[in-house]
Amino acid sequence: MIVEERYDLGKLVTFIPNRRIPIHNWFYFKEGFSRDFVSMILNKFKIDRGKWVLDPFCGVGTTLLTCKEYGVNSIGIDVSPLMVFISNVKVKEYDLKKLKEDAQELFSHRIKKTDIENSEVSSFTRRFFPPRVLKEILFFREKIQEAVSEENRGFFTLGLMDSAIKCSYIYKDGGLLKIVERPLPPLRKFYRRRIKRMLRDLENTELQECFAEAITGDARRMEKIEDESFDLIVTSPPYLNKIEYTKVYRVEYELFMPNVRFGQIRSYLGIDIKKMEKGDKYGNLPPVARAYFIDMEKAISEMYRVLKPGGQLVLVVAGGVFPTGVVESDYITARIIGEYEFEVDRIVVVNRRVATRDRVIKIGEARESIIIATKKG
Ligand SMILES: C[S@@+](CC[C@H](N)C(=O)[O-])C[C@H]1O[C@@H](n2cnc3c(N)ncnc32)[C@H](O)[C@@H]1O
């Protein structure tokens, strides 16, 4: 197995390049990778029209949307209904004329102030908005249901979700939601501009007709996916020992996905330490890391099952930092992959960060790497 250092690719495994790309930037997702990364992988493995790609941890659908540019069919899986919703809004094929008519209808109404005291919005969520903004959000949320055709409601809801966060006091600080009071733009104006931009994005982006869909599910048990059905899997599982970032989306869930019980939504891999099997082979690692790799084994076994013989697996992983030292996720994951009938072609190290304890004591270096493997056969 080759270990290669390509720090020039470091930015590609982050979401940063997507911030300038239409549709990809409809929702900012710090934990995502970039369109350019997926595009590089599709080109490298000559994945073209008619082929099938799976992203079993699909996040905001970066893989799916990029595949749509190339006419490549794709399926995404994510445990988070919010991520699945965002992915599907981004890859949907819209009737632009109908969208424009719906937009005109939506913004033609005078805002009637909703009574927030009697609404279902929790005191947790209320703290992040001045009452006038929250009233407007609730007004538009209701109007979308009344005035917009059913097939376009997701489009307008995603625009409203993004506008609501930008017109709030929310500051997402790692795994925490903080309140930072500041002058806020008027929501209606902001939202209207946002929808205009989203419409322009659709006009200026050329996507192909092909299959693209995200489904809610667990990468450790992909029952709905048939054996040997994909030419390529490209994905980035949640990183080891990363903060529980689902908490920072609590406001989006409460306002826009009220039917989802938020308490049950978590980023999954390695979370169930209590349920961890005894006598595993990672005995010398911290419990969180052991639980993580046991879950990773399940996900990789599923990825092996659904990949066609000769198909490629491309995984982005990062080292975990613990007080006792750095856990080298790339080597351990590559070893797990090698336990199946995979040829691990290479590990490409793309980022390296100094890991510290108590902020000053250097305990090692955490690598972020791309693992590339081919299913034998
Ligand atoms: C690092 S993010 C992937 C980001 C994605 N590459 C993108 O560009 O948006 C990991 C994703 O895995 C999801 N996830 C966590 N555990 C999961 C599981 N067991 N099955 C499926 N998805 C899971 C999280 O909700 C999160 O969206």
Side-chain angles (χ1 to χ4, degrees), residues 78-352:
D78 206 288
V79 271
S80 156
L82 177 65
M83 296 299 139
V84 170
F85 165 75
I86 296 166
S87 299
N88 283 330
V89 170
K90 285 159 71 177
V91 297
K92 193 173 161 66
E93 286 167 15
Y94 294 97
D95 174 345
L96 256 172
K97 191 166 157 273
K98 189 89 196 77
L99 269 180
K100 285 180 183 170
E101 283 166 13
D102 281 343
Q104 209 164 24
E105 173 63 22
L106 182 65
F107 293 107
S108 68
H109 296 269
R110 280 194 56 170
I111 295 192
K112 273 202 245 88
K113 299 285 157 80
T114 322
D115 178 8
I116 41 177
E117 287 316 311
N118 288 323
S119 76
E120 80 299 347
V121 182
S122 72
S123 53
F124 173 84
T125 293
R126 280 184 214 179
R127 291 182 302 164
F128 296 101
F129 299 92
R132 69 169 167 87
V133 174
L134 191 53
K135 282 176 185 169
E136 289 184 52
I137 295 168
L138 296 183
F139 168 80
F140 278 115
R141 194 184 65 175
E142 206 179 303
K143 263 286 162 269
I144 290 172
Q145 297 306 316
E146 283 169 24
V148 168
S149 48
E150 200 178 341
E151 72 269 23
N152 291 339
R153 284 181 197 152
F155 175 89
F156 288 96
T157 303
L158 182 58
L160 182 59
M161 190 186 283
D162 186 73
S163 309
I165 301 302
K166 300 242 166 62
C167 297
S168 75
Y169 297 138
I170 288 176
Y171 176 70
K172 293 179 181 173
D173 184 14
L176 289 177
L177 276 185
K178 290 192 175 154
I179 298 177
V180 177
E181 294 207 15
R182 61 197 171 89
L184 296 175
L187 180 106
R188 183 193 171 95
K189 209 165 151 195
F190 193 95
Y191 180 34
R192 195 174 186 160
R193 238 188 286 139
R194 179 87 200 160
I195 292 295
K196 263 196 184 153
R197 214 196 75 198
M198 287 169 73
L199 288 167
R200 218 170 36 233
D201 286 351
L202 288 175
E203 262 164 358
N204 298 334
T205 309
E206 210 175 304
L207 296 173
Q208 311 294 323
E209 262 183 47
C210 59
F211 190 92
E213 193 180 331
I215 49 180
T216 315
D218 185 337
R220 296 169 301 178
R221 287 180 292 271
M222 301 193 270
E223 293 105 346
K224 290 182 195 151
I225 309 288
E226 281 179 28
D227 293 1
E228 303 191 349
S229 44
F230 290 94
D231 301 281
L232 168 78
I233 294 177
V234 54
T235 196
S236 65
Y239 284 178
L240 172 58
N241 205 20
K242 264 275 188 180
I243 31 141
E244 177 48 73
Y245 55 77
T246 38
K247 273 192 265 174
V248 301
Y249 300 109
R250 181 163 165 190
V251 171
E252 284 91 331
Y253 270 106
E254 279 200 17
L255 286 178
F256 300 103
M257 312 206 92
N259 298 329
V260 176
R261 286 186 45 210
F262 181 75
Q264 292 180 347
I265 304 293
R266 334 188 54 189
S267 54
Y268 260 55
L269 290 192
I271 288 299
D272 280 341
I273 300 176
K274 285 194 210 99
K275 285 197 199 150
M276 195 162 59
E277 293 128 51
K278 294 224 161 57
D280 59 83
K281 55 181 184 278
Y282 309 107
N284 57 344
L285 296 180
V288 171
R290 286 166 55 203
Y292 180 83
F293 290 113
I294 290 170
D295 276 356
M296 188 69 101
E297 279 181 14
K298 292 179 186 152
I300 288 170
S301 135
E302 280 291 81
M303 292 188 224
Y304 177 78
R305 178 179 69 77
V306 303
L307 201 56
K308 288 182 189 168
Q312 260 81 31
L313 170 62
V314 179
L315 275 186
V316 184
V317 297
V321 180
F322 293 87
T324 46
V326 174
V327 173
E328 298 182 310
S329 304
D330 50 359
Y331 290 160
I332 300 175
T333 309
R335 212 182 312 136
I336 298 173
I337 295 172
E339 285 166 8
Y340 294 83
E341 291 286 294
F342 273 116
E343 188 68 51
V344 180
D345 304 324
R346 62 185 61 216
I347 292 179
V348 186
V349 182
V350 292
N351 280 310
R352 218 177 246 281

Side-chain angles (χ1 to χ4, degrees), residues 18-65:
N18 286 357
R19 290 164 72 170
R20 291 169 183 277
I21 308 182
I23 311 183
H24 283 280
N25 61 12
W26 284 0
F27 187 90
Y28 177 71
F29 186 47
K30 196 162 166 273
E31 286 75 22
F33 51 38
S34 70
R35 174 243 166 238
D36 297 349
F37 169 67
V38 179
S39 164
M40 180 183 81
I41 299 297
L42 295 179
N43 287 325
K44 182 174 167 60
F45 295 113
K46 303 195 169 43
I47 301 292
D48 46 20
R49 191 178 286 278
K51 295 221 169 137
W52 283 87
V53 170
L54 173 74
D55 185 341
F57 300 92
C58 73
V60 293
T62 311
T63 301
L64 279 59
L65 186 56

